[in-house]
């Protein structure tokens, strides 16, 4: 939301009812793209014909394993403990479409390096409730900066909406 506001994009946020349970057998990049596309499809059912719908999904990948949203505080502490001191990949996928429009989609990745962090600091963050609806149990924009040593790629990919990709897909959609 913040990224779109800063870009001056007028929008209405609708949270679709899409099952995001990760099928661990999918290629993580394809899974993120499929989920973004499903979100566009779910919203387009009730959307006016002249509206462009943007769907997005973010997945965290550690050693080839997809880390989804934590199911409990204990699950969050396990994820963050595994991420601490390690490098992981964040994949954010975007889909654009609408009623009577062809859908376009793609993804972008950023490598994120976490600092080693003590258990008490992780517990404090988890107790804030902020990581419970985030892939990998953290949101770089919501006070988890103490976890991150550095990243290679675009920050907005880690936040969950890679704007350069959105612009590229919007151009592609207008060409169709």
């Amino acid at each position: 939301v913040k990224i779109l506001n800063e870009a001056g994009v007028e929008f209405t946020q609708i949270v679709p009812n899409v099952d995001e349970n990760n099928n661990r057998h999918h290629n993580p990049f394809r899974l993120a793209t499929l989920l973004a596309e499903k979100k566009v499809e779910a919203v387009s059912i009730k959307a006016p014909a002249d509206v462009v719908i943007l769907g997005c999904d973010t997945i965290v990948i550690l050693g080839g394993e997809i880390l989804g949203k934590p199911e409990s505080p204990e699950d969050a502490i396990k994820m963050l403990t595994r991420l601490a001191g390690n490098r992981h990949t964040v994949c954010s996928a975007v889909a654009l479409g609408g009623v009577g429009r062809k859908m376009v989609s793609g993804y972008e990745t950023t490598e994120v390096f976490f600092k080693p962090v003590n258990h008490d600091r992780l517990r404090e963050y988890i107790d804030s409730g902020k990581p419970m609806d985030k892939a990998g149990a953290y949101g770089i924009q919501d006070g988890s900066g103490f976890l991150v040593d550095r990243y290679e790629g675009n920050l907005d990919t880690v936040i969950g909406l890679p704007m350069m990709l959105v612009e590229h897909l919007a151009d592609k959609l207008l060409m169709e």
Side-chain angles (χ1 to χ4, degrees), residues 52 96 101-102 104 167-176:
V52 173
L96 293 174
R101 295 179 190 267
K102 183 175 180 181
V104 294
E167 291 171 16
H168 169 74
L169 293 173
D171 289 344
K172 194 173 174 181
L173 187 67
L174 291 173
M175 298 277 196
E176 305 264 333

Side-chain angles (χ1 to χ4, degrees), residues 49-174:
D50 62 340
V51 173
V52 173
I53 301 164
L54 181 151
C56 52
D57 195 78
T58 300
I59 291 179
V60 171
I61 305 127
L62 177 65
E65 181 184 347
I66 296 169
L67 301 182
K69 295 177 182 177
E71 296 175 7
S72 66
E74 292 71 30
D75 193 27
I77 199 88
K78 286 178 188 173
M79 283 186 196
L80 291 173
T81 299
R82 289 182 61 204
L83 291 168
N86 289 305
R87 169 188 183 163
H88 63 276
T89 303
V90 175
C91 172
S92 284
V94 173
L96 293 174
V99 178
R101 295 179 190 267
K102 183 175 180 181
M103 189 175 323
V104 294
S105 59
Y107 68 88
E108 190 173 286
T109 63
T110 293
E111 298 299 310
V112 180
F113 299 78
F114 268 20
K115 300 173 192 172
V117 181
N118 75 44
H119 184 81
D120 291 339
R121 189 80 192 268
L122 292 178
R123 177 56 65 190
E124 183 180 305
Y125 176 59
I126 291 165
D127 288 346
S128 75
K130 293 176 183 176
M132 297 311 296
D133 67 341
K134 309 278 191 308
Y138 79 97
I140 199 166
Q141 72 280 10
D142 73 1
S144 67
F146 70 95
L147 296 166
V148 179
D149 179 39
R150 69 186 189 284
Y151 57 89
E152 294 174 0
N154 293 320
L155 177 61
D156 55 1
T157 298
V158 183
I159 293 172
L161 187 60
M163 287 304 291
M164 286 182 12
L165 177 59
V166 170
E167 291 171 16
H168 169 74
L169 293 173
D171 289 344
K172 194 173 174 181
L173 187 67
L174 291 173

